[in-house]
Every structure is written in C-alpha cells, then in structure tokens.
Amino acid sequence: MAKAARPATAKAEPIVLTIDVGGSHVKILTSAGGEPRRADSGPDLTPQQMVATVKTLAEGLAYDVISMGYPGPVRNNKPSLDPANLGKGWDGYDFAAAFGKPVKVVNDALLQAIGSYDRGRMLFLGLGTGLGAAMILDNVGQPMELAHLPYRKGRSFEDYVGERGLEKYGRKKWRKYVFDVVERLRAALQPDYIVIGGGNVDRLDELPAKSRLGDNTRAFEGGFRLWRDRALIVR
C-alpha cells in the first residue's frame, strides 16, 4: 500500500520589526514579543541617524521584515516630504537599502489606524503635536491630510486641536474644539465609528459620540498587520 503523502509544512510567518517614528521618540517592537524599546528623536533627527538608532535598539533581536510609521506623507513606500518636527533628508529616502531588509513605510496615523481597525468604515484621529488622520473602509486604508484644512479665523484644524491649540486656549476650550472638529469630520466622512488616539487623548474627560479610545501601542500591531493581513489594502 502506498504511503499517504505528508502534508506540506506551513510556511512560517516572517518576524516583523515595527518602527514608530515620532517627534519625541523612536520606538520599536518585533512580532516575536517582548517589550518596546525606545530612544529620543527630536527636531534634528535625520533618516541616517534614525536608521543607526534603530539598529542599535534592535541589537539581539531577530527580524525578517520591517514596517515603519512615518510622521508625514508617503508615496511609493518612501517619505514624500520632510517631516515638520524632525530633521532634513527624509524625502525619498530608501529605507530598504539602508536596513538591508524589506521595508513597508506608511504614514504614522495610518499605522495606528490599521492596528485599531476591526470592521467597516473607521476614521482614526490622532491628537498629538498636530492632527493625524486616516480612514479604513472595508480593509482599504487611506492616510488623510486633514490637519491643515481651514477651520476658524483663517486657521486650520491643527491650530485648534493640536499641541499649539492646547497651549493657547487651555484644556477646557481645547476640548470644545476637539468635539466640534470630530463632529464636522463625522458629518463629512460618515464613518461607522471613530478611534481617537495620540499623545493628548488622555486630556479628554470624555469622548465624542460613536468614538472609542485609541492606544498608541496599537501602532505596533498595525506594523505586524501590514505584512500578515492579506485582506488589507493600503493606498
């Protein structure tokens, strides 16, 4: 009697290193687990310095591929504009060549949105130094540059709900502006639900209707999903 064929061994998923680049810190975590590692960034950080920092942070870690959340617009898997809160030289920088590994680069708000997404039509808003935004519609992710749209008195959304607005108007008025901006964007974009994250979300005593609290650590999960979720499409 012929022996039954041995079932094919499932191909192991690659270990993903997620890099979350922010104005204050660069943070990394691999899909193998462990604790996030971080280093200071700042307004003079160049992409070359960031790569060197990540390589140092990742010493002793095994990883096959990289996901990176970048604080600015991304085209063709590379930054398409230098960030407002970091140094120069990011526009067009080839991170795959610098790391010697396959790299997927997306806007940082989209990275956190992907990690927060569970269904339907979701709008993600990040309250931080500025206003990050992304939308996911039935597994199709789209970064959105909403921060600089005009809002009041010739100023933008970001001027009122970003860090500058919080410092200028104080927490009480800032919260009022956050609720107003969220409702305007809800009316315009018609999401099923809104996830509000970012470093300043903890300054809200309550959340707008049909919103839930985001978590900055979901950016790491977003990076893992970039490589592992075959249903996900990123524009």
Side-chain angles (χ1 to χ4, degrees):
M1 180 182 294
K3 292 183 179 180
R6 180 178 296 178
T9 302
K11 185 178 180 181
E13 289 186 328
I15 298 175
V16 184
L17 174 69
T18 297
I19 306 169
D20 186 10
V21 182
S24 301
H25 296 94
V26 175
K27 294 170 283 187
I28 69 168
L29 182 69
T30 77
S31 56
E35 294 295 323
R37 302 179 181 185
R38 66 168 59 194
D40 293 339
S41 56
D44 298 319
L45 186 74
T46 66
Q48 294 88 349
Q49 291 169 341
M50 190 279 292
V51 169
T53 295
V54 168
K55 287 181 177 179
T56 299
L57 287 175
E59 286 180 358
L61 298 177
Y63 56 96
D64 304 301
V65 296
I66 296 172
S67 295
M68 183 175 132
Y70 171 73
V74 174
R75 289 295 180 106
N76 300 319
N77 213 36
K78 296 177 183 177
S80 60
L81 193 68
D82 282 346
N85 301 308
L86 300 175
K88 302 296 183 184
W90 296 79
D91 185 1
Y93 191 83
D94 189 343
F95 288 100
F99 282 109
K101 301 269 188 180
V103 179
K104 292 184 178 182
V105 183
V106 298
N107 173 264
D108 59 347
L110 179 57
L111 194 70
Q112 192 171 152
I114 292 168
S116 304
Y117 180 71
D118 55 32
R119 70 188 187 285
R121 187 183 185 104
M122 183 194 80
L123 173 64
F124 173 84
L125 297 174
L127 302 174
T129 304
L131 174 65
M135 197 150 191
I136 303 182
L137 173 58
D138 295 333
N139 291 308
V140 179
Q142 174 67 55
M144 306 185 79
E145 293 296 325
L146 302 178
H148 302 293
L149 292 176
Y151 176 45
R152 295 166 59 97
K153 300 179 181 178
R155 299 187 181 94
S156 68
F157 286 138
E158 184 171 278
D159 290 325
Y160 283 85
V161 303
E163 190 75 35
R164 290 191 304 272
L166 179 59
E167 293 173 356
K168 181 176 180 179
Y169 301 109
R171 289 180 66 167
K172 185 175 181 180
K173 284 188 175 181
W174 175 81
R175 288 170 183 159
K176 183 184 74 171
Y177 292 135
V178 168
F179 270 64
D180 186 51
V181 167
V182 168
E183 291 309 314
R184 288 170 185 256
L185 293 176
R186 184 198 310 281
L189 300 171
Q190 295 292 299
D192 297 325
Y193 61 104
I194 298 174
V195 174
I196 304 178
N200 285 328
V201 70
D202 292 340
R203 297 175 182 267
L204 294 174
D205 291 334
E206 57 182 329
L207 295 175
K210 295 184 179 179
S211 300
R212 62 179 171 86
L213 187 66
D215 182 341
N216 287 346
T217 63
R218 299 303 296 176
F220 295 124
E221 176 64 24
F224 306 153
R225 287 184 181 180
L226 275 179
W227 289 96
R228 294 181 168 183
D229 188 344
R230 293 191 176 95
L232 179 68
I233 299 171
V234 177
R235 297 298 188 190

